[in-house]
Every structure is written in C-alpha cells, then in structure tokens.
Amino acid sequence: FNAKTEEIMRYKIFFVFFMGLFLCVNEAKSQVHGAVGMNFLFSDFKLGLQGRIMKDLGERFVISGTFTYYLEKSTSIAFDFDARYRLIRIGAVGFEPLLGINIRRFDEFGDTSMNAGLFMTYETDKLTVYFEPKYILDSKPVFVFSTGFYF
C-alpha cells in the first residue's frame, strides 16, 4: 500500500466503527449510551477523535469502552476500558471517579497501562456533555483530556 491508500483505509475503518456504534446504541437506548468526542494527549501533543460505548450497571456503576483515532500521519490508536462510580451530582453536574486499562499503539510502539481519572457530565435539556481528565499510569505518566457529548 502507498501512504494515500493507507490513509483512505483508516478513514473507512473509522467511519464503519462509528456507524456500528450508532446502530448499536439506537437498538439499546435504555441500557447502553454512545458518545462522540475529542481527546488530547498532552505528552505528545496528539489530537484524536473518539467513540465511546457506556453501559449502566445499576444506579451507581458504569463500564465503558472507548476507541480513539489520533489525527496524524502514522497509525495511532488507543482503546480504553474503564469502570466508573457515580459519586455525586450537584445540580446538572455529575462526578464519577474512574479506573481502567489503556491500550495504545503509535507506529511500532505499543503499550498497555492502567489509567485513573474523573468523568464529569453536564446535562442540558437536549444534550449531555462530558469532560474526562485522566492520567495514563505507565513508566512516564501521561495526562489526557477528553470532551464530547453522549446520547
């Protein structure tokens, strides 16, 4: 493959992933939530697009899986699998501490690490916005900030 063909394939895979995510969420709205957003990896100054699926486990616990595709020339992706605890809600703002696993692949570099952070939501009448600052806890801790909206 040449570079242009590889880039087109990445966009096709990304599009298919989000279409699948959208269809899955629409089929199971009461139990599963989907989200789209952006991610910024501070150590390498990487900006990524994100798709997320979240499943409620009772009133207090949530599990989620996130796919991030970083916008750069080389293949850069990350998968996050997190567990969150709904700690407190103050008005329209919710706070949920999280722990999870992060799997990253940048070019030939691959890493699996723990992550910890805080998932915050702000609910409006029509939209729920999320903010997620967290650290990837490997040999050199990395700060990551994600934001977006879910449905």
Side-chain angles (χ1 to χ4, degrees), residues 6-149:
E6 187 176 315
E7 183 177 351
I8 291 169
M9 282 300 292
R10 279 190 228 147
Y11 287 119
K12 286 180 182 179
I13 291 169
F14 193 63
F15 176 76
V16 168
F17 173 79
F18 274 111
M19 288 306 295
L21 173 69
F22 178 76
L23 293 173
C24 288
V25 168
N26 275 340
E27 291 299 316
K29 284 184 181 177
S30 62
Q31 298 174 8
V32 177
H33 303 281
V36 293
M38 297 179 71
N39 172 295
F40 189 72
L41 186 67
F42 281 82
S43 66
D44 299 326
F45 300 104
K46 294 179 189 260
L47 180 66
L49 299 177
Q50 214 174 55
R52 180 182 301 242
I53 295 176
M54 299 169 282
K55 168 100 172 94
D56 295 333
L57 300 177
E59 291 186 24
R60 289 286 186 187
F61 293 95
V62 178
I63 58 172
S64 68
T66 305
F67 172 78
T68 304
Y69 179 84
Y70 290 97
L71 304 172
E72 56 181 26
K73 292 180 182 179
S74 62
T75 302
S76 298
I77 58 174
F79 295 95
D80 291 296
F81 303 99
D82 300 325
R84 302 192 318 253
Y85 177 74
R86 289 189 175 122
L87 181 63
I88 191 169
R89 176 167 289 291
I90 301 171
V93 180
F95 298 91
E96 303 173 11
L98 69 89
L99 288 173
I101 296 173
N102 173 270
I103 302 167
R104 293 179 287 164
R105 179 170 169 87
F106 302 135
D107 293 322
E108 299 301 316
F109 170 77
D111 188 31
T112 301
S113 306
M114 297 291 294
N115 64 56
L118 183 66
F119 188 86
M120 296 173 284
T121 59
Y122 178 76
E123 292 185 22
T124 66
D125 291 336
K126 299 180 188 219
L127 185 65
T128 301
V129 178
Y130 71 86
F131 306 95
E132 184 186 62
K134 69 180 175 184
Y135 278 98
I136 298 172
L137 305 170
D138 59 9
S139 59
K140 294 181 180 178
V142 176
F143 181 69
V144 179
F145 182 79
S146 301
T147 188
F149 64 93

